[in-house]
Amino acid sequence: MNSFFSRGPKYSEETIKEALNALRDGVILIDKNNKIIWSNENASKWLNLNDPFSQENIRAYFPTSEFDEFLSQSDQNSSLEAISPLNKSIFFSLQIIPLGATEKILVLRDITTPIRLEKVRTDFAANASHELRSPLTVIAGYIELMVEDESIPNNWKKPIEDLAKQSERMKSVLSDLLVLFQLESESRITDEEIVDLQAIVMAVRKDCMLAKKPPKEFKVDFKDSAVILGDEVKTQSIVNNIVENALRYCDKDGEISVNWFIDKAGGHLSIKDNGIGMEEKHLNRITERFYRIDKGRSRKLGGTGLGLAIVKYALQAHEATLEIKSELGIGSEFICHFPVSRIQIEQ
Ligand code: ADP
């Protein structure tokens, strides 16, 4: 049989190594015990290996549980971001390629520049939002005074009311943006606390029932204890944003139901509504910033287009995921899946 390689010229091991040494990526060949069999010049330089046949264990260079997990899988499409073991300001993207029955190739790509550019971009947006906050507070304050001022001529009433609405909207967008930047900058929870999810849901329910247009029904069913190890403010934000949407996108006779149960996979918080629902094609985009199916409707109802992006980041900080089910005209269900490690079983 004609194989791909047998048709072309044959290359010596030295030539192949030369080609691998010329790559911009770091390439490390590892055996079944994770020992380095060979590394190209870039990988040797980046990990400070004196010998390309070093025989050292690669885990010593990336001593995290994420790396161990990554090393044990064989999905070539997955990648892991890792900090250089020699320099905390250098970042690599790692990829694993299985080789034969037991060996693997670990590819390291230097992604420091794109990460720095991304940081410059988010820092700029966060700083701009902070700078806007104080002047906006002053402007909104004066507008509020004008709304209440009886001596303002009648022909100015409507424009001032419009100004008040728009300044409220700017305040909401800015406040959501600041929450989002904060969440982005701290991808993991630093101070874990015991959070009672049921108490949070009950408080949100109370606010919801006091809203201008409360739902007809708001059922809560907690089958198991819902005490998790997490961040109270972020968890409040998750529940608040999803419930606010359930209320916002329900026509009259809104019914909201919240359920919680625990199984082998972890804890599951479902928030369901009988609102306008969504077409399938939108479901994997609605957690993007400012992605709104009906911009006009969202704005009119006080939406900022950032609520579900906040939910996504707040869940990520808990290593939790969001599942969205929806049917147009029937309703939607948002399920937050918390991992077993977050569940606190009460004694
Ligand atoms: P917004 O402030 O516009 O509600 P979100 O990020 O919270 O922004 O949601 C993004 C979009 O997803 C919304 O504009 C809306 O189109 C859709 N959406 C979110 N929740 C629901 C829901 N419960 N029912 C129907 N559509 C929803």
Side-chain angles (χ1 to χ4, degrees), residues 245-246 248-249 273 276-278 286 291-294 298 303-309 332 334:
N245 279 346
R248 188 173 291 141
Y249 301 107
D273 66 63
I276 59 172
M278 293 168 270
I286 55 169
Y291 186 89
R292 286 164 288 192
I293 298 168
D294 180 345
S298 156
T304 61
L306 294 170
L308 290 180
S332 310
F334 291 78

Side-chain angles (χ1 to χ4, degrees), residues 246 249-251 254-255 273-278 327-332:
Y249 301 107
C250 272
D251 289 325
E255 283 170 25
D273 66 63
N274 66 342
I276 59 172
M278 293 168 270
E327 223 179 303
L328 202 61
I330 306 284
S332 310

